[in-house]
Amino acid sequence: MRGAFINTLSKLAKKNTDIFLLTGDLGYSVIEGFQKDFPRRFFNIGVAEANMAGIAAGLALSGKTVFMYSIVPFVTMRCFEQVRNDICIQNLKVRIIGAGGGLCYGSAGPTHHSIEDISIMRSLPNMTVICPGDPLEAELAVRSSENYPGPVYIRLGKSKESAVHAGIKGFKIGKGILINEGRDVAIIATGNMLHTASQVTKGLVRKGISACLISMHTVKPIDKDIIRSVALKAKAIFTVEEHSVIGGLGSAVSEVLAEEGKEICFMRIGLPDAYTKEIGSQEYLRSRLGLSANDIERRILEVYRKRIKL
Amino acid sequence: MVKKYKEIAKSARSRLIKMHAASGASHIASSLSVTDILVALYFNILRVSPEKPKDKNRDRLILSKGHAASALFTCLAARGFFPQTLLEEYCIDGGRLPGHASINCVPGLEVSTGSLGHGLSIGVGMALAAKYDREKYRVFVVLSDGECQEGAVWEAAMFAGHHKLDNIIAIIDYNKMQALGKSKEILNLEPLAKKWQSFGWAVKETGGHDIEAIIKTLKKVPFAKNKPSVLIAHTTKGKGVSFMENKLLWHYKSPDREQAESALGEIGCL
């Protein structure tokens, strides 16, 4: 996804001379091409994310469209008040690009994991929150953000994510994508869990369960229409995300569902409210924390079968 | 000319005293501290025009010590950016002027501030944009001394020094007091000039209530070729009202009617 991000940004920057890229000294083997092609519109701010966010605001106040890049915790939490005061209160065209969403930086440990970022960014007025699910969604999110008003947070994965979409027609920020139709179970996934969710959907279908899959790439504003018109038609609804179950996609969807005033079978599947002590790769951590395709399928089946018996 | 500036400052002080008395808002002493600096800037140094508040080539001023917004509002109004009557809407229910500088609340106000340590980074971003666009405007950032305890100020200072941003000018309202006492006792800033020098800035110092001296110093910026400039302006918190000067209480308290009259009397605006 980082590759999709930088390639798309470079293409946009060729035509749009207002585009700037800032980094907090991260992005080895990612940002070099942009730096070479657009040296006057690239700044390595140094290891100083608060300053980076303030500079981004100053550039945006001067009419620039600014992309600021770092690993998720550093570009969202280290400089949180600058993001809030300088960027969100003033409603500026700054795009916060977080690399390594969720558990991408597996063995690097909890300082480099991001399990709270969607929740935190979602709480900021004016902020749009996008978690692309595959490289194509990442490309389209970056492209769509160019002329989108106000601040945008784009939560990327890392590299070599599998493609889920062969193509996407009419990608729109704030509009979920219906990937698979189904009447029994609805799975709403975001970000780097999309591929796993797609595997789970296929697994359920193989078991004779009609499973619907929605890619909810934009967590804020949440697409209420697709939740009401598609997901609510299923017998049970599940959200899947590589993020704490508190405050992320699961919370955003449950806020919509709770206000429907209907009896709904719903479950959030995400990371527990804990900093993991486990050490290992993203894949290993997912398996230890209940986010492997098998785990997710098992949990969905348990809930669904209970529901059917009722 | 000097007399003119003194009169403007006197009038600005009297207006802000009335604003604080009417609203009960805090930080009157911080506003009195920075008034002369802002008068020097708005009435001489800054290339700004109330007729064209969004002009691309205008100089930018960021009041990073956003809690002194009342001083900024009085100066902007006096300079003609908006009618003086609007000052009556400072910090009152349903009013249009908040206690901290807020973008778009009045013409001429460039950046929202209020949390300390944000303004210099934003100024650096504006200075970079000016360089990229090959525009000649300058960016002035007014900081408080207590604010220089924020790490982000030094992140921005290091960056501006490294990139030789000669189009940014910081002015420090150095009144030696902060929210809970004397800076020297809470977290000493000294040697302040040497700190800025070591970050690659050209430093000058002046009396912060000597408008003529401030103007004279800021007329020639950058202070050195290829360097950002910082003016350390030595000020007195609560300047102009004897019972407010260097008294911590007036970081918080607003004058009652009697105190306001006495303050206005001292300034000579009763």
Side-chain angles (χ1 to χ4, degrees):
Chain A
M1 281 195 224
R2 293 184 306 180
F5 155 69
I6 201 70
N7 292 338
T8 310
L9 189 66
S10 293
K11 274 182 209 156
L12 296 176
K14 259 183 203 131
K15 286 185 189 157
N16 182 346
T17 55
D18 283 334
I19 288 177
F20 277 64
L21 174 63
L22 314 180
T23 172
D25 200 35
L26 283 170
Y28 181 75
S29 81
V30 176
I31 48 86
E32 293 83 356
F34 189 101
Q35 180 176 17
K36 190 170 153 279
D37 291 345
F38 312 102
R40 293 191 68 226
R41 288 188 274 146
F42 171 84
F43 287 98
N44 183 345
I45 303 297
V47 192
E49 295 81 4
N51 190 36
M52 175 160 72
I55 289 177
L59 284 164
L61 282 164
S62 312
K64 310 303 177 195
T65 301
V66 189
F67 288 75
M68 57 181 249
Y69 177 96
S70 189
I71 295 178
V72 172
F74 315 149
V75 79
T76 57
M77 299 172 218
R78 178 56 174 258
C79 49
F80 180 72
E81 202 201 38
Q82 276 77 11
V83 170
R84 173 182 179 267
N85 292 13
D86 306 347
I87 297 170
C88 288
I89 291 181
Q90 304 191 97
N91 201 13
L92 301 177
K93 270 183 82 175
V94 176
R95 280 77 186 96
I96 298 166
I97 309 297
L103 304 170
C104 283
Y105 284 95
S107 58
T111 54
H112 286 54
H113 298 161
S114 58
I115 64 167
E116 324 89 330
D117 56 307
I118 300 177
S119 173
I120 291 168
M121 290 293 109
R122 196 166 78 86
S123 71
L124 289 166
N126 293 329
M127 181 66 85
T128 295
V129 177
I130 310 176
C131 312
D134 78 345
L136 181 58
E137 284 193 12
E139 178 190 330
L140 294 169
V142 172
R143 198 178 286 283
S144 308
S145 78
E146 184 187 10
N147 295 311
Y148 199 77
V152 179
Y153 170 52
I154 301 179
R155 182 203 216 222
L156 299 176
K158 217 172 155 190
S159 53
K160 296 180 187 135
E161 287 88 356
S162 309
V164 176
H165 303 279
I168 298 174
K169 272 184 197 160
F171 179 94
K172 209 172 164 207
I173 292 173
K175 287 284 160 209
I177 302 169
L178 180 61
I179 296 177
N180 202 53
E181 294 193 53
R183 288 162 280 107
D184 297 331
V185 162
I187 299 172
I188 306 173
T190 198
N192 44 7
M193 285 309 289
L194 185 63
H195 183 255
T196 307
S198 150
Q199 289 176 313
V200 171
T201 308
K202 284 172 190 158
L204 291 170
V205 170
R206 277 198 295 272
K207 288 187 169 63
I209 292 167
S210 171
C212 150
L213 175 63
I214 294 166
S215 170
M216 195 67 92
H217 49 75
T218 308
V219 181
K220 186 189 175 191
I222 193 85
D223 185 354
K224 291 178 185 173
D225 291 341
I226 202 166
I227 295 172
R228 288 188 189 125
S229 66
V230 181
L232 264 174
K233 288 188 178 146
K235 297 184 184 90
I237 302 171
F238 300 86
T239 52
V240 181
E241 63 195 307
E242 200 169 281
H243 182 275
S244 164
V245 287
I246 296 176
L249 173 73
S251 297
V253 171
S254 66
E255 285 158 17
V256 178
L257 294 176
E259 289 178 359
E260 285 298 304
K262 290 177 186 162
E263 194 183 315
I264 297 162
C265 178
F266 171 70
M267 188 187 190
R268 295 166 300 156
I269 297 172
L271 294 167
D273 176 29
Y275 295 109
T276 184
K277 291 186 175 68
E278 302 275 358
I279 296 162
S281 67
Q282 181 179 26
E283 205 185 334
Y284 175 80
L285 292 177
R286 280 182 178 183
S287 71
R288 297 293 293 173
L289 298 169
L291 283 187
S292 70
N294 284 342
D295 287 329
I296 295 170
E297 189 182 305
R298 185 180 42 77
R299 291 168 73 186
I300 289 177
L301 281 171
E302 270 172 28
V303 172
Y304 174 69
R305 284 175 181 151
K306 225 184 260 174
R307 166 83 178 165
I308 295 302
K309 275 184 196 161
L310 286 174
Chain B
M1 210 55 183
V2 179
K3 208 178 162 193
K4 183 188 99 176
Y5 298 127
K6 277 189 178 159
E7 285 302 314
I8 295 167
K10 207 162 115 177
S11 154
R13 280 195 167 84
S14 83
R15 283 182 195 280
L16 75 88
I17 288 166
K18 287 177 193 162
M19 286 157 70
H20 283 273
S23 63
S26 294
H27 304 130
I28 185 169
S30 310
S31 289
L32 291 168
S33 175
V34 80
T35 299
D36 299 303
I37 293 169
L38 292 179
V39 167
L41 285 164
Y42 275 103
F43 288 86
N44 187 299
I45 298 298
L46 293 177
R47 297 168 192 148
V48 291
S49 153
E51 292 77 36
K52 287 191 255 170
K54 293 276 181 195
D55 186 80
K56 201 164 189 277
N57 293 313
R58 72 194 185 278
D59 285 341
R60 271 66 161 175
L61 181 129
I62 301 170
L63 183 67
S64 194
K65 50 171 285 181
H67 56 289
S70 60
L72 180 61
F73 292 140
T74 54
C75 286
L76 285 170
R79 187 71 173 75
F81 279 92
F82 56 87
Q84 303 264 11
T85 50
L86 193 55
L87 297 174
E88 291 162 19
E89 298 195 30
Y90 172 71
C91 284
I92 57 161
D93 291 348
R96 279 179 283 177
L97 304 184
H100 291 89
S102 178
I103 196 169
N104 298 332
C105 75
V106 287
L109 198 157
E110 301 281 355
V111 176
S112 294
T113 49
S115 173
L116 296 173
H118 287 239
L120 196 59
S121 295
I122 298 174
V124 166
M126 290 175 160
L128 286 177
K131 293 276 180 197
Y132 176 75
D133 291 332
R134 300 200 161 87
E135 300 281 3
K136 293 269 179 257
Y137 65 82
R138 294 97 41 96
V139 184
F140 293 80
V141 185
V142 179
L143 297 98
S144 79
D145 46 2
E147 184 174 5
C148 293
Q149 292 163 358
E150 291 279 5
V153 169
W154 300 101
E155 290 184 9
M158 194 185 290
F159 185 94
H162 176 90
H163 288 273
K164 302 181 171 45
L165 291 179
D166 58 2
N167 55 349
I168 188 164
I169 302 100
I171 299 151
I172 297 168
D173 177 6
Y174 196 7
N175 58 37
K176 286 102 188 155
M177 300 262 295
Q178 57 186 95
L180 291 183
K182 291 179 181 160
S183 302
K184 203 166 120 185
E185 288 162 12
I186 291 165
L187 190 59
N188 192 13
L189 297 159
E190 290 298 335
L192 190 58
K194 279 189 183 158
K195 284 191 175 79
W196 285 93
Q197 269 160 11
S198 69
F199 276 71
W201 290 59
V203 187
K204 286 195 178 178
E205 300 194 50
T206 180
H209 301 298
D210 184 343
I211 299 178
E212 201 183 3
I214 299 168
I215 290 172
K216 210 175 150 190
T217 315
L218 291 179
K219 272 283 178 207
K220 289 175 192 155
V221 287
F223 296 153
K225 209 180 159 192
N226 292 329
K227 278 188 178 187
S229 310
V230 56
L231 175 62
I232 297 175
H234 294 274
T235 52
T236 301
K237 190 149 180 158
K239 177 71 182 180
V241 180
S242 62
F243 60 91
M244 291 185 187
E245 287 187 3
N246 295 318
K247 296 280 190 304
L248 196 60
L249 175 71
W250 296 96
H251 189 75
Y252 305 97
K253 197 177 148 42
S254 57
D256 60 25
R257 200 172 159 169
E258 210 174 298
Q259 287 164 329
E261 277 184 16
S262 153
L264 291 170
E266 279 197 32
I267 283 165
C269 285
L270 200 59

